[in-house]
Amino acid sequence: MRNYLLEKGLMGRPDALLYPQYVTTRWLGEQIRRLAGLAGDDPKCFTPHGLRAGGATDLVESGVAYPALKAAGRW
């Protein structure tokens, strides 16, 4: 996540749109399940929810302030 934010110039911009408009929870779930199936895993065992913890961890490790983390995760 940190690399993505840096690459897109979004680090330190909690009000910026993080992803293109077509990236919805449904679209992301479909992609995750498709890739899990291609990897030989059971696609039913994977959801986009698991990315929230990983993204939050990356933000914390990169020094993002707690209020910005909460805003990014909509917590």
Side-chain angles (χ1 to χ4, degrees):
M1 184 63 143
R2 185 173 83 74
N3 289 342
Y4 175 82
L5 293 173
L6 288 171
E7 179 183 308
K8 300 295 181 184
L10 298 171
M11 191 62 86
R13 295 183 51 210
D15 59 326
L17 185 64
L18 290 180
Y19 306 107
Q21 293 288 345
Y22 67 85
V23 178
T24 63
T25 302
R26 182 181 189 140
W27 178 88
L28 189 57
E30 290 168 357
Q31 301 310 308
I32 290 170
R33 286 185 286 280
R34 180 179 65 81
L35 293 170
L38 290 172
D41 291 316
D42 182 358
K44 295 178 204 162
C45 294
F46 294 87
T47 68
H49 185 75
L51 298 176
R52 289 173 64 91
T57 300
D58 283 349
L59 290 172
V60 167
E61 287 179 351
S62 67
V64 170
Y66 186 67
L69 172 67
K70 286 181 64 174
R74 293 179 303 204
W75 293 307

